Amino acid sequence: MSNLYSTQVKAVGGRSGTIRSEDGILELKLGGKGDATNPEQLFAAGYAACFGNAVIHVTRSNKEYKIRDNDVEVLSTVGMVANGNGGFALTVHLDVTISGISQADAEKIVEQTHQVCPYSNAIRGNIQVSTTVYTK
């Protein structure tokens, strides 16, 4: 199977270090104490953007929906909890807002989106994900 997309990001120094993408577009200090981002924020950002794009993909695959890119908003909340074995686990909650459609259609779209979103597919069975669906 060939990759549709691939990238590399190097992390140096763990949670208090730095990250840099291979092309240099992403270059950040880590820390998360108000002066830098942290891995959970980066995961939340990636999941929100990816899930939003997957919503757009699902709606474009179904001609009955007329949704523009800006009609989709995703707020991703990522938490870290103790896993009971001395380690940690992540939790995710997605608030998904889709403008211009019914609540029932929005819920159906979000359910379908979980089947095509790469983040949802990657973490299925490993991270608890909950969703709340809104319409405008």
Side-chain angles (χ1 to χ4, degrees):
M1 178 178 357
S2 64
N3 284 334
L4 296 175
Y5 177 76
S6 178
T7 190
Q8 291 183 329
V9 175
K10 182 186 285 186
V12 177
R15 295 182 67 86
S16 296
T18 60
I19 57 171
R20 185 177 193 283
S21 62
E22 63 187 337
D23 59 10
I25 292 173
L26 177 65
E27 188 167 7
L28 298 169
K29 176 182 167 187
L30 298 177
K33 293 185 169 95
D35 64 340
T37 191
N38 62 54
E40 293 74 33
Q41 288 176 330
L42 296 168
F43 185 80
Y47 201 167
C50 190
F51 197 85
N53 199 69
V55 167
I56 293 164
H57 172 78
V58 166
T59 60
R60 299 266 161 80
S61 298
N62 186 333
K63 302 296 184 203
E64 79 180 76
Y65 304 115
K66 303 288 187 213
I67 295 175
R68 300 167 300 174
D69 293 1
N70 288 342
D71 290 336
V72 179
E73 297 176 18
V74 180
L75 174 64
S76 175
T77 303
V78 173
M80 187 183 329
V81 296
N83 69 2
N85 297 323
F88 304 93
L90 296 176
T91 61
V92 174
H93 181 79
L94 302 174
D95 287 306
V96 182
T97 304
I98 307 173
S99 298
I101 61 172
S102 71
Q103 181 70 30
D105 284 342
E107 290 174 6
K108 181 174 147 185
I109 289 166
V110 167
E111 185 177 314
Q112 292 170 348
T113 299
H114 271 299
Q115 301 307 309
V116 299
C117 174
Y119 275 67
S120 294
N121 287 328
I123 66 173
R124 186 171 289 113
N126 296 310
I127 297 176
Q128 177 185 349
V129 178
S130 60
T131 58
T132 305
V133 181
Y134 303 96
T135 59
K136 285 187 185 176

